[in-house]
Amino acid sequence: MGLENYIKKSLKNRGILVMTHIVLGYPSLSANEEIIGEMIAGGVNLIEMQIPFSEPVADGPVIVKANQSAIAKGIRVSSCFDFAARITRKYDIPFLFMTYYNIIFKYGPENFLKKTKGCGIQGLIIPDLPPEEGEDFFAACRSHGIDPIMIFSPTSSLERMKYLSGHGQGFIYCIARRGVTGHQTSFDKEFNTYIQRCREATTLPLAVGFGIKSKEDMAYLKGKADIGVIGTKTIKLVEQKGVQAVSPFMRSLNVLVL
Amino acid sequence: MGLENYIKKSLKNRGILVMTHIVLGYPSLSANEEIIGEMIAGGVNLIEMQIPFSEPVADGPVIVKANQSAIAKGIRVSSCFDFAARITRKYDIPFLFMTYYNIIFKYGPENFLKKTKGCGIQGLIIPDLPPEEGEDFFAACRSHGIDPIMIFSPTSSLERMKYLSGHGQGFIYCIARRGVTGHQTSFDKEFNTYIQRCREATTLPLAVGFGIKSKEDMAYLKGKADIGVIGTKTIKLVEQKGVQAVSPFMRSLNVLVL
Amino acid sequence: MNYKQPYYGKWGGCYIPEILHETFQELSQAFISARNDPLFWTEFQELMSTYSCRPTPLTYADNLSRHFGGAEIFIKREDLNHTGAHKANNVMGQGLLVKRMNKKRVIAETGAGQHGVATATMAAKFGLECTIYMGEEDVHRQRPNVFWMQKLGAEVITVSSGSRILKDAINEAFRDWVSNMADTHYVMGTVCGPHPFPAMVAWFQSIIGQETREQFMALKNTLPARVYACVGGGSNATGIFQGFLNEPAVELVGIEAGGRGLNSGAHASRLTGKDGSAGVAQGYKTMFLQDDNGQMKTTHSVAAGLDYVGVSPILTDLWQQGKIRFEAATDREVMEALKLTMTREGLIPALESSHAFVQAFKEVGSMTPEEAVIINMSGRGDKDIFTIADAFADPSWKKFIISKGEEYGA
Amino acid sequence: MNYKQPYYGKWGGCYIPEILHETFQELSQAFISARNDPLFWTEFQELMSTYSCRPTPLTYADNLSRHFGGAEIFIKREDLNHTGAHKANNVMGQGLLVKRMNKKRVIAETGAGQHGVATATMAAKFGLECTIYMGEEDVHRQRPNVFWMQKLGAEVITVSSGSRILKDAINEAFRDWVSNMADTHYVMGTVCGPHPFPAMVAWFQSIIGQETREQFMALKNTLPARVYACVGGGSNATGIFQGFLNEPAVELVGIEAGGRGLNSGAHASRLTGKDGSAGVAQGYKTMFLQDDNGQMKTTHSVAAGLDYVGVSPILTDLWQQGKIRFEAATDREVMEALKLTMTREGLIPALESSHAFVQAFKEVGSMTPEEAVIINMSGRGDKDIFTIADAFADPSWKKFIISKGEEYGA
Ligand SMILES: Cc1ncc(COP(=O)(O)O)c(C=O)c1O
Ligand SMILES: Cc1ncc(COP(=O)(O)O)c(C=O)c1O
């Protein structure tokens, strides 16, 4: 039914949805599978799976290290597809791929999209592909029935957001602040104006990512955004408290509709 | 009676005279005194005593070290004068000072000459004072009754030698070869032409120095030169075999008139 | 070259995170207005001739020419720039842009450390804060440059992610930039990265080619037969080649790092040999050394400044058009050429620059004395003292370092 | 200055062993004929502009001028010469003379190592054998330069007699020369030694003053109020001062090494303060640091190139005539001035040159913005990396050297 509808429908039962993030192959694909199981058990609504890249320029140290480690252990794009195919069959929430453009370019964009579609992935997040470079590719995404997720940032003007939104589908990924993944975000007046601008620019649902890590954050975002993205936080949680800490944590993020 | 006469007279009893060299204060003044005693006992005809200087540019490593060591132990120009006064009273062969010009310049040339004369020194050898710079000083020497010893070198032309000789008195110090004190000298055809040129240029007796170290050397020089100068060799001898080796060695250098 | 558009043939582009969109707009504006302002270039030339030593000389290498007995060898002396390499041209140019954009801080990546030292220098001169990112391996092999950057007032951040060399330093610089672009300019050190960097760096470095052409013409009243330049990111090569582009009489030769040999897997030859393939990384499309999954490979060169996984899109396009011939020089060949150049001409080329000398030395012997070649000596070798001492296994240097280490350790 | 006669007032002369008489005759002839041959100077200028980077720039030090808020500060950039110091001027000039005299070998003393590197470079360029004498203490504190001399093909002989610094290296060079003068030229590194060395070195270095005057006049159409130069032997000072001699409007200021202070006994100030007295050594008459017996003292300076017991007879004469004011800068002041210059202007003066900066910094604040001063930056500080690291007790550098030492020791 497409991500947008799924999100809108899900919002009836929950104040704000949770999208989580994992790096494929870190610490291993089997660990990924366990962690996903925990996430699902914890009520997570969407999951973005990052296909590792050696040059993850938009990521902070924790995710950089995860990318490097996964590559060092030999993760391959083909195993990511295999993994995705199995997981999407196993769970019925939507899964997305997040990766850098070279992974796609090197695979061959057309082939990549076919494979992506074939393994049940519903959306693509590519932090280093602006529409100026990705116009054709995003069109191809859409014609393959995969939602290209556009990214807004606090530095994007209203006009720019409108332009971006025109290339996107599913939802918009709003970067909460400047910088890379994994650092603290402070929600202040500036953030509120930014989110208002996002809303004005698009009718697509809004996901807010970068630095979201607690129930308080989720509660703050409720009403402003539709999805809160938990990224680095999960990796740290698993490193510090083990896999079984994931589902209780995810459950704690549930914010009621009222 | 002046060095020239002394030399000519002494040559009646000996095929070639021996002039030795010591560095004042090395290893100590009392050792110098002992060594001089040995030299005299060994039949040495003249002794040049070097007043140490921190920059002995014409000397080789052995004498450089001796200069440095004497200065480090605190030798002063005034103690050199005192020493000379005592020694010249004790022995009746001629003594000369050898030193670099700064020692004289700093002391005051006029005072230096008075003192030198006063302590019975008969000649002065100054390796870094060519007549172009030393004309007045050499004249002052002569008027104080001290013989300024001029230096010839293998690179001096006949004309140059004549010019030099005009400033000298007592004898001429002929440097046997290029280089500094203390290295091997080879007596070859070139050397012979050089000594012939020296003879032609001056009526003063000729001393040959630099690298003279054995009876063979003395025998070779006999007839060509009037004095053979034993320099570095004594220092090495004392270092290796002790003071008492000096007189036997000196005695061994005696070359008969016939 | 059309400096306003991001592509050179199918190479280049501007693959940047959205967060930097505005910053690149602003930068492109500043660049275009500088290019359209004739006073800007005058100001730039003035700065380079009073603060650095431009025009740098074109030196006739008498002894080397005689040694090989073929073409005459001329050497363009970028080593005589202030801070010791061509990197100063680009950095001072970007410094003038920073003043126009009114930013207060600069950041830069560095491999050999020359770009870092040049940037730290420019920051001191223009009163800017400065942070330099440098791979851990490069920090080690170019230690003197690290020392000077710090003394010039820059913060040097050691990058230990990835291969711990130049490309990783670029990633870290981008990570800093996406946090601080409001007051910070990223001084990209070579003709790579997202548009307008390649166009901009090429423009500043074109001063080398302009001068060289004029100097050579004044001497010989003709053009050189060949021009040699080493190619890391490609800035010194792009700089000198621009003086001779589209001259059919002049063959342009770019020399990449052959490392332990083209078949060893331990090199940084993206265009020479068969290991490079098209890709998109660090914001632009070019030929990269990557595996079949698109993961960048670990490169190797004795010269930190050539030890880079990508290459200028401008050069890739000219290579594809057949306008530049590419060759590679191995680490070993580089040491030989360096030795010869030091002892015959009294010149100490940087290890990077020595790559260009290698290829020229291979070729001049079979050319005629009526022909002439120009080698771009992109920098001086002072920075390479530890690497060269290691390569020559210099015993007295080692002894000195051991005793100095003991003194410090005590 | 009458270049044919050996005295400047009562200073100078030619106090040489007889064995060198012929050699000095020959050298004087060669020098006089070069001076009388207008083509020689043209050839010299040509060489310096194609092999080195002359004219070197005159840089306006914007930030420092503003920092002190007084006179405008200009810096003559001898650091941009090939090999990194003004020493190249003299050495390349003597190199041309060597070619005329048809000698096959050159020897030189060196303190900071700059003169040694320059001589080794010239020897490589002109195809001569080369031996460099360097005091043991200087070998230790200027180690990078030793390394480069060797790599350039020179033999470096460590001198461990005397104070094991510059003056002792000069003695050793003379000892070599008296053995090998037939085929060997002694490239004296500064305006000292027996005639015609002072006249000759002063002539080659006058290129600095000529250029500086022209450059300053072109900029300001007037003369600077003061010119500052550090004084070791005195060659860079003599060089730049010659552009402004006999100009009553220009005050010339020579800065000697104040070491640990003028009253500490640990300095190398021959003219400033009360420790110097007239003497004759190393072939010439000047003011020396000597004891009352005429033994030369051990000097001290953080800058090897200023750590010398004598000073140019030319400068002593001008000092006596009141035409040059002499001052001293202490080791500590030098480090402060260096730090300021690095972080404010992006320039790294050699420790020697930094002495001149110290004095200018003391004075400019009380001058007016209508006045201007020129500082001669005689060389770059790259060579001083070990000394500067020690002075700043740089922990990361120490760590690096310790680990490198362990690597070598293993
Ligand atoms: C002296 C020198 N030459 C060449 C290079 C390679 O860079 P590019 O290819 O951009 O000139 C560097 C890079 O650090 C360098 O320092
Ligand atoms: C950079 C630099 N400046 C100054 C000097 C001092 O010499 P001079 O007084 O002859 O210029 C030296 C000597 O080595 C030097 O290397």
Side-chain angles (χ1 to χ4, degrees), chain C residues 139-151 382-383 385-386 397 400-401 404-405 407-409, chain D residues 143-144 382-405:
Chain C
V139 164
H140 201 74
R141 60 182 161 169
Q142 309 277 230
R143 199 61 185 63
N145 274 343
V146 176
F147 180 81
W148 294 122
M149 285 183 252
Q150 290 170 336
K151 288 294 156 282
D382 299 51
K383 69 182 177 64
I385 191 161
F386 286 95
W397 175 259
F400 166 71
I401 293 296
K404 199 81 193 162
E407 178 190 325
Y408 286 156
Chain D
R143 201 57 185 64
D382 299 51
K383 69 182 177 63
D384 296 317
I385 191 162
F386 286 96
T387 311
I388 296 177
D390 287 358
F392 290 125
D394 189 281
S396 65
W397 175 258
K398 285 188 177 177
K399 220 178 111 201
F400 166 72
I401 294 296
I402 290 172
S403 82
K404 199 80 193 162

Side-chain angles (χ1 to χ4, degrees), chain D residues 84-87 111-115 189-191 230-237 304-306 350 352-353 378-380 383:
Chain D
H86 70 293
K87 298 284 178 188
Q114 289 303 114
H115 177 59
T190 188
V191 257
C230 68
V231 179
S235 66
N236 85 85
L306 304 188
E352 289 78 12
S353 324
S378 55
R380 57 171 146 93
K383 69 182 177 63

Side-chain angles (χ1 to χ4, degrees), chain B residues 7 9 22 32 43 48 54 64 80 86 97 101 108 124 145 148 187 191 200 220-221 233 244 247 249-250:
Chain B
I7 291 162
K9 216 188 75 189
I22 59 161
N32 288 149
E48 55 165 328
S54 54
V64 168
C80 296
R86 197 168 64 251
F97 274 155
Y101 186 58
L124 266 180
F187 298 111
F191 176 80
E200 196 182 335
Y220 181 86
L221 289 176
K233 175 70 192 174
Q244 65 295 344
S247 78
F249 173 72
M250 294 302 167

